[in-house]
Amino acid sequence: MEILLVLIAALLLSFALLPFLRRRRGGIELVSPGHPDAADPADYGFVREEELDIRMPGPDRDLVDVLDVVQRSQEYRAAQQLLAGTEKDGEVRWQRVQAFAGAAALELQQRPGGVTDSPGGQWLRVWRAEQPKDAGGAAVHAEFLVQQAWRTSAPGTDDFRIIMEEAKAACGQAALLSPGDPVPYIVELSIARGLDYSREEFEQLWLKILDRAPNHMGAHLAALHYWCEKWHGSRDLAQSFTEAAAARAPQGSLLAAMPLFSVFEHLPEVNLVRGFYQSEVVTKAIHGALHAVHSARQGDPMLAHVRHLLVFFLVRGERWAEAMNQLVHVDGHVGALPWTLSEDPAGEFAVYRALAVAGYEANGGSPATLRA
């Protein structure tokens, strides 16, 4: 056991040093900072680690501008207007609801408030108080409560259940305010996981989403958690769920990439098999995701999510050129799996990016060949 812990510690240390990599034909070596042969991501125009945006998976200029206005002024109306003008059953609305809720939750965490000052995220409470019939505000509030439950308490505790029950009621209110909107039901998927919905209850909820947005990938990703082994399903159930989604995906839909997310959710905590990331199961899921990316329409808001996960698997599989081809599309934003699972998403992304660059150059690649 002690030997295993030493090996794991050595592996973690090597990952911490990965930005200092030398490209050498056929392999990668660790070198000291400033070494003349060190691979440099900046040569490819990649964003500096400290400038990576951890809030979202890809660019959404309107959302960034509105978030800046709301957080600077503590006035909600810009957020209300943006959501009112966002397509009801599309992926973008769900992402923006998550972003506004996450911003309010983070503000509250940073400024819990006290005797002399008001708590962070006050703009969301004012929004709900002044516009109780606004569907956008109701959806953001429901998602905010869900995020609060996961952030501040442990599943199974009384505090967790109380917040989740409140969130469930908020989802019901949001659904009544916007009957055709799938977002309140997508928010409830996380509640279903936290409150241990039965299979029958979960299936009834899922049918409501399929009635409104059958090809909504964000909804499928949220539902996948329920079917995972670590929650209320198993590896086989999760695989069946994602393969069924991929099989019925219309042409150009990123649902064809769902099996890769199932593989990710069931990765072994410690992998001692050298060829695991070149195995048939992983390779098949990667190829499905690559096909989905190549077939997807440009500007699909879920495209960045798939590209980020592909970077993870392609680097682990030492498929350096393919990893670089994904990186050039997503660099600058890291608010997606797998980076968001880390306490330092930007740092985690930067490690994989450095590996991709070093591996690419070790096999003859350069900025010139990538651009070509």
mmCIF file of all heavy atoms in Angstrom, residues 258-279:
data_model
loop_
_atom_site.group_PDB
_atom_site.id
_atom_site.type_symbol
_atom_site.label_atom_id
_atom_site.label_comp_id
_atom_site.label_asym_id
_atom_site.label_seq_id
_atom_site.Cartn_x
_atom_site.Cartn_y
_atom_site.Cartn_z
ATOM 1 N N MET A 258 -22.278 11.328 -26.681
ATOM 2 C CA MET A 258 -22.650 10.982 -25.311
ATOM 3 C C MET A 258 -21.888 9.782 -24.730
ATOM 4 O O MET A 258 -21.534 9.791 -23.547
ATOM 5 C CB MET A 258 -24.159 10.740 -25.226
ATOM 6 C CG MET A 258 -25.014 12.000 -25.211
ATOM 7 S SD MET A 258 -24.689 13.095 -23.811
ATOM 8 C CE MET A 258 -25.104 12.014 -22.437
ATOM 9 N N PRO A 259 -21.616 8.721 -25.491
ATOM 10 C CA PRO A 259 -20.885 7.591 -24.898
ATOM 11 C C PRO A 259 -19.531 7.975 -24.296
ATOM 12 O O PRO A 259 -19.095 7.347 -23.323
ATOM 13 C CB PRO A 259 -20.727 6.625 -26.079
ATOM 14 C CG PRO A 259 -21.938 6.878 -26.922
ATOM 15 C CD PRO A 259 -22.121 8.375 -26.845
ATOM 16 N N LEU A 260 -18.881 8.987 -24.839
ATOM 17 C CA LEU A 260 -17.593 9.410 -24.275
ATOM 18 C C LEU A 260 -17.781 9.969 -22.865
ATOM 19 O O LEU A 260 -16.926 9.770 -21.991
ATOM 20 C CB LEU A 260 -16.937 10.465 -25.174
ATOM 21 C CG LEU A 260 -15.501 10.854 -24.790
ATOM 22 C CD1 LEU A 260 -14.569 9.663 -24.933
ATOM 23 C CD2 LEU A 260 -15.011 12.015 -25.663
ATOM 24 N N PHE A 261 -18.893 10.638 -22.627
ATOM 25 C CA PHE A 261 -19.165 11.171 -21.290
ATOM 26 C C PHE A 261 -19.434 10.042 -20.305
ATOM 27 O O PHE A 261 -19.060 10.133 -19.134
ATOM 28 C CB PHE A 261 -20.334 12.157 -21.342
ATOM 29 C CG PHE A 261 -19.993 13.466 -21.991
ATOM 30 C CD1 PHE A 261 -20.082 13.622 -23.367
ATOM 31 C CD2 PHE A 261 -19.567 14.541 -21.230
ATOM 32 C CE1 PHE A 261 -19.748 14.828 -23.968
ATOM 33 C CE2 PHE A 261 -19.247 15.757 -21.815
ATOM 34 C CZ PHE A 261 -19.326 15.897 -23.194
ATOM 35 N N SER A 262 -20.066 8.982 -20.766
ATOM 36 C CA SER A 262 -20.293 7.825 -19.902
ATOM 37 C C SER A 262 -18.970 7.162 -19.535
ATOM 38 O O SER A 262 -18.752 6.774 -18.380
ATOM 39 C CB SER A 262 -21.208 6.818 -20.598
ATOM 40 O OG SER A 262 -21.405 5.673 -19.789
ATOM 41 N N VAL A 263 -18.075 7.039 -20.508
ATOM 42 C CA VAL A 263 -16.751 6.471 -20.230
ATOM 43 C C VAL A 263 -16.032 7.313 -19.189
ATOM 44 O O VAL A 263 -15.430 6.791 -18.241
ATOM 45 C CB VAL A 263 -15.915 6.382 -21.527
ATOM 46 C CG1 VAL A 263 -14.469 5.998 -21.209
ATOM 47 C CG2 VAL A 263 -16.519 5.369 -22.491
ATOM 48 N N PHE A 264 -16.113 8.628 -19.344
ATOM 49 C CA PHE A 264 -15.441 9.524 -18.399
ATOM 50 C C PHE A 264 -15.990 9.358 -16.986
ATOM 51 O O PHE A 264 -15.240 9.329 -16.011
ATOM 52 C CB PHE A 264 -15.597 10.978 -18.844
ATOM 53 C CG PHE A 264 -15.000 11.969 -17.880
ATOM 54 C CD1 PHE A 264 -13.639 12.145 -17.807
ATOM 55 C CD2 PHE A 264 -15.815 12.714 -17.029
ATOM 56 C CE1 PHE A 264 -13.079 13.042 -16.906
ATOM 57 C CE2 PHE A 264 -15.274 13.601 -16.131
ATOM 58 C CZ PHE A 264 -13.891 13.773 -16.068
ATOM 59 N N GLU A 265 -17.312 9.241 -16.869
ATOM 60 C CA GLU A 265 -17.937 9.125 -15.551
ATOM 61 C C GLU A 265 -17.559 7.826 -14.848
ATOM 62 O O GLU A 265 -17.716 7.715 -13.625
ATOM 63 C CB GLU A 265 -19.460 9.218 -15.680
ATOM 64 C CG GLU A 265 -19.985 10.586 -16.083
ATOM 65 C CD GLU A 265 -19.746 11.650 -15.025
ATOM 66 O OE1 GLU A 265 -19.532 11.290 -13.847
ATOM 67 O OE2 GLU A 265 -19.749 12.843 -15.372
ATOM 68 N N HIS A 266 -17.064 6.859 -15.601
ATOM 69 C CA HIS A 266 -16.746 5.560 -14.995
ATOM 70 C C HIS A 266 -15.263 5.211 -15.114
ATOM 71 O O HIS A 266 -14.886 4.046 -15.086
ATOM 72 C CB HIS A 266 -17.608 4.461 -15.625
ATOM 73 C CG HIS A 266 -19.064 4.611 -15.313
ATOM 74 N ND1 HIS A 266 -19.922 5.324 -16.114
ATOM 75 C CD2 HIS A 266 -19.806 4.176 -14.255
ATOM 76 C CE1 HIS A 266 -21.140 5.311 -15.577
ATOM 77 N NE2 HIS A 266 -21.093 4.623 -14.460
ATOM 78 N N LEU A 267 -14.422 6.227 -15.219
ATOM 79 C CA LEU A 267 -12.985 5.989 -15.241
ATOM 80 C C LEU A 267 -12.530 5.431 -13.894
ATOM 81 O O LEU A 267 -13.019 5.855 -12.845
ATOM 82 C CB LEU A 267 -12.227 7.290 -15.521
ATOM 83 C CG LEU A 267 -12.317 7.853 -16.939
ATOM 84 C CD1 LEU A 267 -11.594 9.184 -17.003
ATOM 85 C CD2 LEU A 267 -11.732 6.877 -17.957
ATOM 86 N N PRO A 268 -11.587 4.500 -13.903
ATOM 87 C CA PRO A 268 -11.056 3.998 -12.624
ATOM 88 C C PRO A 268 -10.299 5.098 -11.903
ATOM 89 O O PRO A 268 -9.645 5.937 -12.533
ATOM 90 C CB PRO A 268 -10.113 2.863 -13.063
ATOM 91 C CG PRO A 268 -9.756 3.188 -14.479
ATOM 92 C CD PRO A 268 -10.959 3.859 -15.073
ATOM 93 N N GLU A 269 -10.416 5.144 -10.574
ATOM 94 C CA GLU A 269 -9.735 6.182 -9.800
ATOM 95 C C GLU A 269 -8.226 6.089 -9.958
ATOM 96 O O GLU A 269 -7.530 7.101 -10.005
ATOM 97 C CB GLU A 269 -10.130 6.073 -8.320
ATOM 98 C CG GLU A 269 -11.582 6.447 -8.057
ATOM 99 C CD GLU A 269 -11.899 6.491 -6.581
ATOM 100 O OE1 GLU A 269 -10.960 6.447 -5.765
ATOM 101 O OE2 GLU A 269 -13.088 6.563 -6.239
ATOM 102 N N VAL A 270 -7.707 4.884 -10.000
ATOM 103 C CA VAL A 270 -6.279 4.676 -10.247
ATOM 104 C C VAL A 270 -6.153 3.701 -11.404
ATOM 105 O O VAL A 270 -6.644 2.579 -11.329
ATOM 106 C CB VAL A 270 -5.559 4.108 -9.001
ATOM 107 C CG1 VAL A 270 -4.090 3.853 -9.317
ATOM 108 C CG2 VAL A 270 -5.702 5.066 -7.823
ATOM 109 N N ASN A 271 -5.540 4.157 -12.490
ATOM 110 C CA ASN A 271 -5.394 3.308 -13.666
ATOM 111 C C ASN A 271 -3.944 2.866 -13.804
ATOM 112 O O ASN A 271 -3.051 3.681 -14.003
ATOM 113 C CB ASN A 271 -5.826 4.084 -14.918
ATOM 114 C CG ASN A 271 -5.536 3.309 -16.186
ATOM 115 O OD1 ASN A 271 -5.773 2.108 -16.228
ATOM 116 N ND2 ASN A 271 -5.008 3.978 -17.189
ATOM 117 N N LEU A 272 -3.712 1.573 -13.661
ATOM 118 C CA LEU A 272 -2.364 1.032 -13.768
ATOM 119 C C LEU A 272 -2.149 0.279 -15.075
ATOM 120 O O LEU A 272 -1.124 -0.366 -15.262
ATOM 121 C CB LEU A 272 -2.083 0.095 -12.574
ATOM 122 C CG LEU A 272 -2.193 0.749 -11.189
ATOM 123 C CD1 LEU A 272 -1.940 -0.280 -10.106
ATOM 124 C CD2 LEU A 272 -1.226 1.915 -11.064
ATOM 125 N N VAL A 273 -3.125 0.348 -15.982
ATOM 126 C CA VAL A 273 -3.018 -0.329 -17.274
ATOM 127 C C VAL A 273 -2.550 0.683 -18.312
ATOM 128 O O VAL A 273 -3.256 1.643 -18.629
ATOM 129 C CB VAL A 273 -4.375 -0.930 -17.696
ATOM 130 C CG1 VAL A 273 -4.240 -1.634 -19.038
ATOM 131 C CG2 VAL A 273 -4.887 -1.885 -16.627
ATOM 132 N N ARG A 274 -1.378 0.486 -18.842
ATOM 133 C CA ARG A 274 -0.765 1.458 -19.738
ATOM 134 C C ARG A 274 -1.628 1.755 -20.967
ATOM 135 O O ARG A 274 -1.743 2.892 -21.403
ATOM 136 C CB ARG A 274 0.613 0.957 -20.174
ATOM 137 C CG ARG A 274 1.319 1.882 -21.159
ATOM 138 C CD ARG A 274 2.737 1.437 -21.439
ATOM 139 N NE ARG A 274 3.358 2.239 -22.482
ATOM 140 C CZ ARG A 274 3.882 3.443 -22.289
ATOM 141 N NH1 ARG A 274 3.850 3.965 -21.083
ATOM 142 N NH2 ARG A 274 4.429 4.108 -23.270
ATOM 143 N N GLY A 275 -2.259 0.729 -21.526
ATOM 144 C CA GLY A 275 -2.992 0.923 -22.762
ATOM 145 C C GLY A 275 -4.465 1.219 -22.586
ATOM 146 O O GLY A 275 -5.217 1.123 -23.561
ATOM 147 N N PHE A 276 -4.886 1.595 -21.380
ATOM 148 C CA PHE A 276 -6.316 1.795 -21.137
ATOM 149 C C PHE A 276 -6.916 2.805 -22.102
ATOM 150 O O PHE A 276 -8.006 2.593 -22.658
ATOM 151 C CB PHE A 276 -6.554 2.245 -19.695
ATOM 152 C CG PHE A 276 -7.993 2.595 -19.400
ATOM 153 C CD1 PHE A 276 -8.930 1.603 -19.178
ATOM 154 C CD2 PHE A 276 -8.415 3.922 -19.372
ATOM 155 C CE1 PHE A 276 -10.263 1.923 -18.933
ATOM 156 C CE2 PHE A 276 -9.736 4.250 -19.125
ATOM 157 C CZ PHE A 276 -10.666 3.239 -18.896
ATOM 158 N N TYR A 277 -6.232 3.924 -22.342
ATOM 159 C CA TYR A 277 -6.793 4.981 -23.176
ATOM 160 C C TYR A 277 -6.669 4.676 -24.678
ATOM 161 O O TYR A 277 -7.133 5.459 -25.497
ATOM 162 C CB TYR A 277 -6.155 6.330 -22.831
ATOM 163 C CG TYR A 277 -6.640 6.833 -21.489
ATOM 164 C CD1 TYR A 277 -5.937 6.553 -20.322
ATOM 165 C CD2 TYR A 277 -7.824 7.544 -21.385
ATOM 166 C CE1 TYR A 277 -6.403 6.989 -19.083
ATOM 167 C CE2 TYR A 277 -8.298 7.977 -20.155
ATOM 168 C CZ TYR A 277 -7.584 7.695 -19.007
ATOM 169 O OH TYR A 277 -8.052 8.122 -17.783
ATOM 170 N N GLN A 278 -6.036 3.535 -25.003
ATOM 171 C CA GLN A 278 -6.053 3.053 -26.381
ATOM 172 C C GLN A 278 -6.950 1.820 -26.526
ATOM 173 O O GLN A 278 -6.979 1.188 -27.572
ATOM 174 C CB GLN A 278 -4.632 2.692 -26.845
ATOM 175 C CG GLN A 278 -3.708 3.890 -27.016
ATOM 176 C CD GLN A 278 -2.952 4.227 -25.745
ATOM 177 O OE1 GLN A 278 -2.731 3.346 -24.917
ATOM 178 N NE2 GLN A 278 -2.561 5.473 -25.590
ATOM 179 N N SER A 279 -7.696 1.498 -25.454
ATOM 180 C CA SER A 279 -8.538 0.306 -25.477
ATOM 181 C C SER A 279 -9.703 0.483 -26.449
ATOM 182 O O SER A 279 -10.029 1.600 -26.875
ATOM 183 C CB SER A 279 -9.080 0.012 -24.077
ATOM 184 O OG SER A 279 -9.974 1.031 -23.662
#
